[in-house]
Amino acid sequence: MYPKAFSLSIEGQNRTTTEPKMTEAEPSNNSTVAKPRLVICIGDIHGHITKLQNLWSNLETQFDPQHFNAATIIFLGDYCDRGPDTKKVLDFLIDLPSRYPNQKHVFLSGNHDFAFAAFVGVLPEPQNGVSFKEGWEEYEESEDREGWYKGDGYENMHLEGRRWAGHIKVGFNTSKGIEYKGSIYDAGPTFASYGVPHGSSGMSCFLLVFH
């Protein structure tokens, strides 16, 4: 018997599958097959706290409480940007282990989260002696169009942090058919959710205070 895996996407159309995850349950010490563990995958929250809360409520009602409270919940990343409530989303996720101590929570990083982390300076320094700055050169032709961040601390910032907090000059995202929200990563609403101006170099301080 295999544990069931469900994959759901907050942003856009939800995608759900009931195909079994092809990893056989580990046998117990008494040589009987262990009870399958419910596995739920959730991706692309993108600052939409109401959708996340509604999804969570639906999951609680869809599954037996005993199974849900012991489930493995895998978050596939992209928690921030685009939607209006990144701070509330992160608060919700941070509180899950205390609210559901018997669940297992796995938080993966998406490209938006990586760029957010790069801007607030929590990425580890390269171990090969190469500076983050050297990574700018390959994409420097995009610097003006994407309006890379040039505020406090930019000199030693990873490229994606500069792109995340930049001010893109092209207003319309033709590939998605929507307006950009501040930067190429649509990070404007993330800054707003913390009550600071877009591109504020004080974002890391606000994260320390609020999280």
Side-chain angles (χ1 to χ4, degrees):
M1 183 177 290
Y2 302 99
K4 292 181 179 178
F6 297 81
S7 178
L8 304 105
S9 174
I10 297 289
E11 187 181 60
Q13 184 176 0
N14 284 357
R15 299 185 300 275
T16 305
T17 176
T18 56
E19 291 297 316
K21 179 182 178 183
M22 302 307 292
T23 303
E24 194 165 354
E26 293 291 333
S28 63
N29 292 333
N30 61 4
S31 298
T32 60
V33 177
K35 188 174 182 179
R37 187 182 185 110
L38 179 65
V39 177
I40 300 172
C41 299
I42 302 173
D44 296 302
I45 299 171
H46 279 302
H48 293 290
I49 185 61
T50 300
K51 291 182 179 181
L52 175 59
Q53 290 170 332
N54 290 342
L55 173 61
W56 195 264
S57 296
N58 290 339
L59 291 172
E60 285 187 303
T61 58
Q62 181 175 352
F63 299 110
D64 180 279
Q66 182 179 359
H67 292 165
F68 182 72
N69 290 332
T72 294
I73 315 292
I74 303 173
F75 293 92
L76 303 176
D78 284 354
Y79 314 109
C80 60
D81 303 337
R82 297 182 183 162
D85 294 309
T86 288
K87 180 186 179 302
K88 291 181 180 179
V89 165
L90 295 181
D91 286 341
F92 181 97
L93 299 177
I94 289 170
D95 287 344
L96 284 180
S98 60
R99 291 173 56 199
Y100 299 86
N102 294 322
Q103 286 182 346
K104 180 179 180 181
H105 305 104
V106 179
F107 301 100
L108 303 180
S109 174
N111 63 320
H112 286 257
D113 314 312
F114 180 91
F116 188 179
F119 178 71
V120 298
V122 296
L123 295 184
E125 292 288 337
Q127 298 299 306
N128 57 3
V130 176
S131 69
F132 285 142
K133 185 174 182 178
E134 293 182 48
W136 304 349
E137 297 174 2
E138 184 177 354
Y139 304 97
E140 61 186 358
E141 71 277 1
S142 299
E143 180 174 2
D144 183 65
R145 181 181 66 86
E146 295 179 355
W148 295 358
Y149 174 78
K150 291 185 177 180
D152 292 345
Y154 89 95
E155 296 88 350
N156 297 312
M157 188 176 292
H158 190 285
L159 168 63
E160 297 308 317
R162 295 192 64 196
R163 298 177 75 219
W164 185 80
H167 289 79
I168 190 165
K169 294 183 178 180
V170 180
F172 193 75
N173 185 337
T174 55
S175 64
K176 294 183 178 295
I178 56 175
E179 296 286 334
Y180 281 109
K181 297 181 178 180
S183 74
I184 196 167
Y185 275 101
D186 297 321
T190 297
F191 285 94
S193 74
Y194 285 91
V196 297
H198 176 80
S200 171
S201 60
M203 173 65 86
S204 57
C205 296
F206 280 85
L207 286 173
L208 289 172
V209 170
F210 290 120
H211 294 304

